[in-house]
Amino acid sequence: SDGTRKRGMLERFLPLLGISSNEQFAQTIIRRLADRSRDEGRLADTVLLYNLAERYNTVLNVLGKQLGELLYTHGGSNSNADNIGDAYGLDDVEGVARAVLEHYKQREHIARVLDDRAVTTCNTLLTIVDFLNCHRRGAYEEALEMIERTQLLPLGGDVSLASQHAERVRSLDDSITRNFSLILLAAMDTLSCLYAGLRESPFMDAVKQANLQTLRRKARSLMVFAGMIQFRMPSDTYAKLNRMDVFMN
């Protein structure tokens, strides 16, 4: 249960199979089984087998790709569920990813060989899931906090930083960049809902005006950023963003 591989019956007869070492066994038997499980879409078996073969970064890459694909396929779908995983089966992948990351972090011999990019990608995707779940259930302040935590979008209110974020997109994993349309639309809707709620409050004072202005600046930064990466998104995304931006201005 702790991920340690124990010597099995088959390994007692490795010489009869022409296999001379545990490394060769992992390469010849376990990794081929893992590749087959991956190709057949059996996530749990794939993670287990690659883990037994000590291909820890491959485990993270598989999980990141699966999270990205499920978000791309179902993240923007309409559903009454507050949690996108409840409606579309993302919970299984999300749960496995969180458990694996925690398991690896607690084991120094694994943690020191992990690829920083693979770890960051998985953690970022999980935060995106948290952000989308908050957005779906109307927890807009929490949603804004979540998406700001990823540092994917220029939400500091400084339009001049949009180009830096746009340049950074090139270095992101495809499992993240393919979901930028979903992320941007949910982020802009979050700002729009916060703006509407604040504007409709009965009191108009300097603090309220300042908060409204802050939300408008964040929205404007998103629009500048979106304009710089339009080629990475469906053609109608920018038009949808623009309609929400107009509402706030």
Side-chain angles (χ1 to χ4, degrees):
S1 60
D2 64 354
T4 302
R5 181 164 65 87
K6 297 180 180 180
R7 186 176 178 84
M9 179 67 71
L10 184 60
E11 289 175 270
R12 300 177 186 178
F13 302 99
L14 293 184
L16 297 178
L17 299 173
I19 299 174
S20 59
S21 67
N22 287 333
E23 174 60 28
Q24 189 180 0
F25 172 71
Q27 180 68 44
T28 304
I29 305 296
I30 300 178
R31 293 182 187 178
R32 288 185 182 179
L33 288 172
D35 290 344
R36 182 174 179 177
S37 294
R38 178 200 59 202
D39 295 341
E40 293 176 353
R42 292 184 283 118
L43 179 66
D45 290 341
T46 301
V47 169
L48 175 62
L49 289 166
Y50 278 132
N51 190 67
L52 289 175
E54 300 181 353
R55 293 183 64 176
Y56 307 119
N57 287 311
T58 302
V59 170
L60 296 183
N61 289 333
V62 168
L63 289 170
K65 181 179 179 181
Q66 190 74 10
L67 282 168
E69 287 180 352
L70 285 171
L71 282 174
Y72 184 76
T73 305
H74 300 303
S77 302
N78 293 323
S79 169
N80 293 326
D82 289 338
N83 187 313
I84 57 177
D86 292 341
Y88 302 108
L90 185 61
D91 276 347
D92 289 343
V93 184
E94 177 191 350
V96 170
R98 293 187 194 279
V100 166
L101 285 167
E102 184 63 25
H103 177 82
Y104 286 176
K105 184 174 71 173
Q106 293 177 357
R107 285 154 180 81
E108 184 179 352
H109 71 285
I110 297 178
R112 64 171 173 259
V113 300
L114 294 180
D115 177 61
D116 289 342
R117 176 183 168 88
V119 174
T120 299
T121 296
C122 275
N123 279 320
T124 299
L125 285 164
L126 289 171
T127 305
I128 291 170
V129 171
D130 292 337
F131 157 65
L132 293 172
N133 286 335
C134 289
H135 173 260
R136 288 173 78 93
R137 66 173 182 265
Y140 299 118
E141 290 186 5
E142 189 178 352
L144 182 59
E145 179 184 338
M146 288 290 177
I147 196 58
E148 287 180 336
R149 186 181 303 172
T150 68
Q151 299 184 348
L152 291 174
L153 307 177
L155 289 168
D158 187 347
V159 175
S160 66
L161 297 178
S163 60
Q164 295 180 23
H165 281 79
E167 185 68 25
R168 198 180 304 159
V169 170
R170 298 181 182 181
S171 64
L172 296 173
D173 190 84
D174 179 66
S175 59
I176 296 173
T177 57
R178 70 187 309 205
N179 286 295
F180 254 102
S181 176
L182 169 66
I183 296 166
L184 275 168
L185 288 170
M188 184 65 89
D189 188 63
T190 294
L191 295 175
S192 178
C193 289
L194 286 171
Y195 184 88
L198 185 60
R199 190 178 65 174
E200 292 169 4
S201 64
F203 302 103
M204 179 62 73
D205 55 24
V207 173
K208 176 179 176 178
Q209 289 283 35
N211 288 336
L212 287 171
Q213 183 62 28
T214 295
L215 290 171
R216 284 194 292 266
R217 283 200 301 268
K218 289 179 184 291
R220 177 48 41 186
S221 293
L222 275 191
M223 288 303 300
V224 173
F225 171 75
M228 294 176 176
I229 64 166
Q230 281 190 70
F231 65 95
R232 296 180 179 272
M233 301 184 296
S235 57
D236 64 337
T237 299
Y238 194 81
K240 293 177 180 178
L241 290 170
N242 190 56
R243 283 196 292 273
M244 286 185 276
D245 182 55
V246 168
F247 164 77
M248 296 176 66
N249 289 280

